[in-house]
Amino acid sequence: MILKEIQVQEHNESQYALHKKKFSFLSETLSDNGINVNKILDDLIRFQIAIPSWALGTGGTRFARFSGGGEPRTLEEKIEDVGMIHSLNKSSGKISLHIPWDIPKDYKKIQILSASFGIQFDAVNSNTFQDQPDQEFSYKFGSLQHTDKKVRQQAINHNKEVIKHGIELGSKSITVWLSDGSCFPGQLNFKKAFNRTLESLKEIYSSLPSDWRMFVEYKPYEPNFYSTTVGDWGTSLLFANKLGNQAFTLVDLGHHLPNTNIEQIVALLLNENKLGGFHFNDSKYGDDDLTVGSIKPYQLFLIFNELVDSETPFIEKEFGWMIDASHNVKDPLEDLLQSVEAIKIAYAQALVIDRIALEEARDANDVVLCQEILQNAFRTDVRPLLAEARMQAGGALNPVQTYRYLAVRKNLISERGNKSVSSGL
Ligand code: RM4
Ligand code: MN
Ligand code: MN
């Protein structure tokens, strides 16, 4: 199903009067406080967040998977779905492919299709955490860390393959997430596992085109429950530093132990110029992969506070921004719309922080005032800014509402059937 801009605009018209009222009030209030509203709208319009190819179907747990119907059956249909999201929110002009779940067969065709929706290819992702049917060696005991050189070589070759697919599609980065580690004490020699992983990563890194980046993702546990070889940001940063200036640390919000101060990690990675990007999701307990902003919106805001505070505006940098959430009870497209919205809300809130006053209050150790300033921004309802930016870009004032009004899921089910299952998690 392909949305026409006119359908979106027609629906916008019915909501325009109310939007105008809210937007006028907010933009006047912000302008009175010396905030440049047009600049914020501009930043919001430019900010694009990639959709991963594995999040367009219903996610599952290790217990069950409940398909919602109308899931994309092919890469082409996945691109169509990202096109649908993008035509509603105008902020999802990128797709991130996971290989081998989504191997492009005809690059040209795929490129023409994605370009017709205004979609580019973001980071490509390798997968050495599962065994594929045609694969010679198993990753049961790891991939890049494996004790057997032949297994390591197979995983290295896979990553090189992924880079090749990415080059054909115009991607500029690869994200490496390893499930390597150990489940029991004594199972693994930590130092040897680290060094083997480093050697493997070096070989992959050496095949990176000069304008590419490598993102090294970390995760403290699961599926290995005693140790993971890239377990935290410190380890990832060690790898990135040893690899060279094309390697960066990637922060997946769900890959931290409870209560970790992620915003501080972000600040320090920025300071080292080693922040590669984000995988956005939310969680209550661990790697829950819940909708961004559904549990801890304040944390998300504090992360954006650090990003906005960085010397080079982060929007100028080539960060990898991607949603990385997949669960089993919502319509995945609605969920993705909500996630992108939550990220942009946090961004807009961070943009309205009075930074000069905050720095002064910090210098004066006025702790109360610091909190007042931050929370004043956090408690500002910035949604009219998002709606205005979206409308100016040709999108929907209210993406989820428009999606429902246009009965997108019903149409997708009638096109693709009730039992279609998409590749991915
Ligand atoms: C992992 C990790 C990776 C993602 C896979 C699907 O937990 O977050 O980034 O590619 O899930
Ligand atoms: Mn991730
Ligand atoms: Mn994850």
Side-chain angles (χ1 to χ4, degrees), residues 70-87:
E71 291 187 11
R73 296 159 294 184
T74 58
L75 177 55
E76 285 78 358
E77 288 182 352
K78 289 185 177 186
I79 292 170
E80 252 178 49
D81 282 7
V82 178
M84 162 74 60
I85 295 172
H86 189 48
S87 61

Side-chain angles (χ1 to χ4, degrees), residues 54 98 101 125 129 177 217 219 252 255 279 287 324 425:
W54 63 96
H98 204 297
W101 291 337
N125 303 261
F129 52 87
W177 174 66
E217 193 173 345
K219 180 170 177 173
D252 180 317
H255 293 190
H279 281 180
D287 193 23
D324 191 9
L425 287 172

Side-chain angles (χ1 to χ4, degrees), residues 162-202:
V162 172
I163 294 173
K164 279 195 197 140
H165 287 304
I167 293 171
E168 295 294 337
L169 293 171
S171 292
K172 290 279 175 234
S173 48
I174 178 169
T175 302
V176 182
W177 174 66
L178 300 174
S179 69
D180 293 24
S182 64
C183 265
F184 295 97
Q187 184 187 330
L188 197 66
N189 180 318
F190 297 138
K191 283 180 281 191
K192 285 186 182 172
F194 179 93
N195 292 331
R196 287 192 298 258
T197 305
L198 178 61
E199 286 316 304
S200 305
L201 285 171
K202 275 186 181 161

Side-chain angles (χ1 to χ4, degrees), residues 113-384:
L113 179 70
S114 52
S116 73
F117 295 113
I119 289 166
Q120 295 172 339
F121 289 88
D122 205 63
V124 277
N125 303 261
S126 58
N127 177 345
T128 58
F129 52 87
Q130 288 176 326
D131 285 347
Q132 305 305 325
D134 53 353
Q135 155 182 339
E136 197 177 349
F137 305 108
S138 170
Y139 295 135
K140 180 171 177 184
F141 296 110
S143 57
L144 298 185
Q145 74 164 25
H146 204 282
T147 48
D148 185 343
K149 170 77 183 147
K150 292 195 285 299
V151 185
R152 299 203 294 277
Q153 197 58 49
Q154 174 181 281
I156 292 168
N157 293 345
H158 164 71
N159 276 275
K160 288 184 172 177
E161 227 12 81
V162 172
I163 294 173
K164 279 195 197 140
H165 287 304
I167 293 171
E168 295 294 337
L169 293 171
S171 292
K172 290 279 175 234
S173 48
I174 178 169
T175 302
V176 182
W177 174 66
L178 300 174
S179 69
D180 293 24
S182 64
C183 265
F184 295 97
Q187 184 187 330
L188 197 66
N189 180 318
F190 297 138
K191 283 180 281 191
K192 285 186 182 172
F194 179 93
N195 292 331
R196 287 192 298 258
T197 305
L198 178 61
E199 286 316 304
S200 305
L201 285 171
K202 275 186 181 161
E203 195 176 331
I204 300 165
Y205 185 87
S206 71
S207 69
L208 276 186
S210 59
D211 60 344
W212 269 55
R213 293 171 173 231
M214 178 191 273
F215 301 141
V216 183
E217 193 173 345
Y218 57 90
K219 180 170 177 173
Y221 71 95
E222 196 202 17
N224 275 297
F225 287 98
Y226 171 63
S227 76
T228 41
T229 298
V230 196
D232 59 12
W233 73 283
T235 317
S236 163
L237 185 58
L238 276 180
F239 282 119
N241 278 335
K242 287 176 194 287
L243 287 168
N245 54 14
Q246 287 173 251
F248 298 85
T249 294
L250 184 128
V251 178
D252 180 317
L253 299 191
H255 293 190
H256 300 87
L257 298 175
N259 301 327
T260 300
N261 188 336
I262 303 176
E263 54 272 24
Q264 188 177 12
I265 296 173
V266 169
L268 295 178
L269 285 172
L270 277 166
N271 202 39
E272 295 298 314
N273 208 5
K274 276 294 186 186
L275 179 66
F278 289 90
H279 281 180
F280 290 107
N281 47 55
D282 211 344
S283 54
K284 176 96 179 135
Y285 303 103
D287 193 23
D288 306 346
D289 275 350
L290 300 179
T291 316
V292 186
S294 61
I295 310 275
K296 290 175 287 200
Y298 194 48
Q299 174 182 268
L300 191 63
F301 160 75
L302 293 173
I303 290 170
F304 272 90
N305 174 36
E306 298 302 333
L307 286 167
V308 169
D309 192 42
S310 63
E311 261 162 40
T312 320
F314 75 88
I315 205 141
E316 310 297 344
K317 297 194 175 199
E318 284 166 50
F319 284 150
W321 302 99
M322 195 190 81
I323 310 276
D324 191 9
S326 165
H327 47 82
N328 53 352
V329 293
K330 285 180 179 171
D331 175 328
L333 297 187
E334 292 189 352
D335 171 60
L336 288 162
L337 288 170
Q338 286 185 313
S339 280
V340 173
E341 181 82 354
I343 294 168
K344 296 189 78 180
I345 288 175
Y347 179 30
Q349 287 167 332
L351 288 172
V352 304
I353 295 171
D354 186 341
R355 296 207 164 262
I356 296 170
L358 180 60
E359 251 355 276
E360 283 171 6
R362 283 170 168 174
D363 287 343
N365 296 306
D366 191 338
V367 186
V368 169
L369 189 55
C370 290
Q371 180 182 326
E372 290 291 307
I373 293 167
L374 274 190
Q375 294 193 339
N376 183 39
F378 177 67
R379 288 170 179 154
T380 305
D381 184 357
V382 293
R383 290 174 299 172

